[in-house]
Amino acid sequence: QDRSVRIGDMLLDSDGSFSPVYLFGHSDPAALTTFVSITTDSGHNLRLSPLHYIEADGSYMHAKDVLPGMSVAVHEERTTGFKKFTAAVKSTGQELLPGLYNPYTTSGTVVVDGVVASAHSEWFLEGLVPPRFAPRLYQVLLAPVRAIFHLHPQWVVRFTEHFDKSPLPLDQHGACAISRVMAATLF
């Protein structure tokens, strides 16, 4: 993902429309990360963290669990707009690459390199609920943040900019620290 993506930018989502980015789970250009590489028979190639969610064979799962022969949704740009279809996974592998980015869109989905993925990755539900339910639960749990974004987008920008300076992902800061920053960046 391009690190130039910012809060409020519009990204293509699973239904072919554009959805605004309202938060980042990760935004670290210096992180050296092992990614799962998923290549489709349509020529699309997507790299995801191993515990990022993607819908394969009609059910959400972690990227590390996607296997050749499964199907994923892809989008291709046409002169009349975007066309969504399924493509078979031709191969999977691992790649060590710099950078770790996870933009959350209001729709909860995002198209990266032509492949549809969930906007969600591991947080705290892993091991508590089956992976097929986690992205939808995360989407419900983050509804208040989306509401704040719609009501006061500049607050979300200030809040995110504060945490952009930290090497830790947002979920590793703790509730007290996050609450302090929420209050400090409100106005």
Side-chain angles (χ1 to χ4, degrees):
Q1 168 187 330
D2 185 348
R3 71 187 223 188
S4 66
V5 172
R6 296 278 182 237
I7 300 293
D9 285 356
M10 304 295 278
L11 299 181
L12 184 64
D13 65 20
S14 67
D15 66 6
S17 59
F18 288 85
S19 183
V21 173
Y22 72 95
L23 191 67
F24 279 89
H26 302 281
S27 183
D28 185 355
L32 194 57
T33 307
T34 299
F35 290 95
V36 173
S37 176
I38 298 171
T39 303
T40 67
D41 64 356
S42 60
H44 294 90
N45 189 353
L46 173 64
R47 292 168 188 90
L48 300 162
S49 63
L51 295 179
H52 198 101
Y53 293 98
I54 183 169
E55 193 171 356
D57 283 352
S59 182
Y60 280 113
M61 62 183 63
H62 292 121
K64 68 180 181 67
D65 297 325
V66 174
L67 300 171
M70 290 181 161
S71 63
V72 296
V74 296
H75 274 276
E76 284 191 352
E77 190 169 6
R78 305 283 172 92
T79 55
T80 57
F82 291 94
K83 180 179 187 233
K84 182 178 177 180
F85 60 95
T86 58
V89 175
K90 187 167 95 174
S91 65
T92 62
Q94 291 186 342
E95 293 183 52
L96 186 63
L97 298 168
L100 183 61
Y101 303 95
N102 183 192
Y104 290 103
T105 61
T106 56
S107 70
T109 63
V110 63
V111 176
V112 180
D113 297 329
V115 182
V116 177
S118 171
H120 301 283
S121 62
E122 81 280 359
W123 187 11
F124 67 89
L125 291 175
E126 290 64 40
L128 299 174
V129 300
R132 68 182 177 273
F133 299 124
R136 289 180 182 93
L137 287 172
Y138 284 139
Q139 190 69 0
V140 169
L141 292 169
L142 288 169
V145 180
R146 288 191 304 280
I148 291 169
F149 169 75
H150 286 297
L151 294 170
H152 198 348
Q154 286 307 310
W155 172 81
V156 178
V157 169
R158 289 190 301 274
F159 175 83
T160 302
E161 285 173 349
H162 176 86
F163 286 105
D164 278 349
K165 300 168 192 153
S166 171
L168 297 175
L170 184 60
D171 66 322
Q172 292 182 12
H173 283 275
C176 290
I178 291 171
S179 296
R180 279 193 303 274
V181 173
M182 287 173 68
T185 58
L186 190 54
F187 299 104

